Amino acid sequence: MTAHQTEDLAVPTDEDPTAPPRRRRRRGVTFFLSLLVAPLIAVSVMRLGGIDGNNLTAITLALTPYIAGYGLLVTLLALALRRKVLTAVALVLTLSLGVLLIPRLLADGDPIPQGQRVRLMSANLMIGRGDPNVLVSLVRDAKVDVLTLQELTPAALSKLDAAGLGDLLPYRAVQPVPGGEGGGILSRIPLRQISLVENTQFENVAAVVDLSGPVDIEVVTIHIVPPTTNDTARKTWQRELASLPGPDSYGRPRVLAGDFNATLDHHAFTGLLDRGYNDAAELAGEGMRPTWSSKSPPSPPVTIDHIVLDRRIGAPSVAVYDLPGSDHNAVFAELALPR
């Protein structure tokens, strides 16, 4: 070995003037990557631990699909920079979130009940501003049997009827209210209003849909207060979700449809499902389709509108439709009832 080769293999010592800056750079890169991994750790702990936290963390949890994508980028960056420990941590956390998200993209695969089919749509009108002509066209084209509405105002109901909704869905249980508190159910099939939800800020109207067959269903239009404004609102959001009626295994199959202001990554919502419900979109492999976004201030699209089904009911198909004038999309599901 030559003297030059020996010199190349020499390990820098403390006396080597180039060693400390290199170490400082390595420490700096490691610290920077640690900062990038920290929010991934926080969200994973909350999501996997079923912790909704305060109003700010509730907002963050709604972005879990985006955070999983962020985790993948952090993993690749740590790998490229040869930080083995941080790469492993980021990869494990990202895979943990991915395990929760992937089933939303896959149809459930369970046998579909062979009873009567009901076509149901839900739409938040954003204080009555949703385009009535578009909504009526959606109802007509999708051959909707039952429509649940949130933020239904008297003026919006009049415009919908003028656009022809009354001819398509003549039966109704509605509580139109100026502002964002109104709600209602409109149906092609006779229905009668019942009381299932109490002590909520918005009108959560319920009705029995008389299908004139072996099985009738109960439908509730859902609008839960958002948890985002402050921690008091977050507590109200949790209380209202917890107060929603569970399925009655000895009675009629029950459907809750509307704006839950919650995603499948909120414990307050999954707790409702655990009581005996399925999310129709998740059953059909459409659980990642966003239903809401805000332009002012701008926000990433998230999935906060749901059709929640008694587990005796199947969902062969689910779709999400744009509704001009509203910040929400209309959500549709074909329901397969038990015999």
Side-chain angles (χ1 to χ4, degrees), residues 146 185 187 189-192 207-211 215-219:
V146 180
I185 303 170
S187 175
I189 305 159
L191 51 79
R192 57 184 175 86
V208 175
V209 181
D210 181 8
L211 297 171
V215 178
D216 294 334
I217 59 172
E218 295 174 353
V219 176

Side-chain angles (χ1 to χ4, degrees), residues 16 52 61-62 73 114-115 117 125 156 168 181 242 249 251 296 300 334:
D16 187 339
D52 288 332
L61 284 168
L73 293 177
Q114 297 302 306
R117 300 292 178 96
L125 299 177
L168 296 172
E181 297 184 1
S249 58
S296 179
E334 181 184 19

Side-chain angles (χ1 to χ4, degrees), residues 11-79:
V11 177
T13 66
D14 290 341
E15 289 75 28
D16 187 339
T18 64
R22 187 180 301 125
R23 283 207 245 5
R24 284 198 295 269
R25 285 195 298 271
R26 287 184 61 82
R27 290 171 183 163
V29 169
T30 301
F31 179 72
F32 172 70
L33 284 174
S34 298
L35 291 179
L36 295 181
V37 171
L40 183 61
I41 294 173
V43 172
S44 299
V45 168
M46 288 188 297
R47 178 62 186 88
L48 297 172
I51 304 168
D52 288 332
N54 58 29
N55 61 305
L56 296 178
T57 55
I59 294 171
T60 304
L61 284 168
L63 304 175
T64 296
Y66 298 96
I67 293 167
Y70 163 83
L72 180 59
L73 293 177
V74 172
T75 301
L76 294 174
L77 180 59
L79 179 63

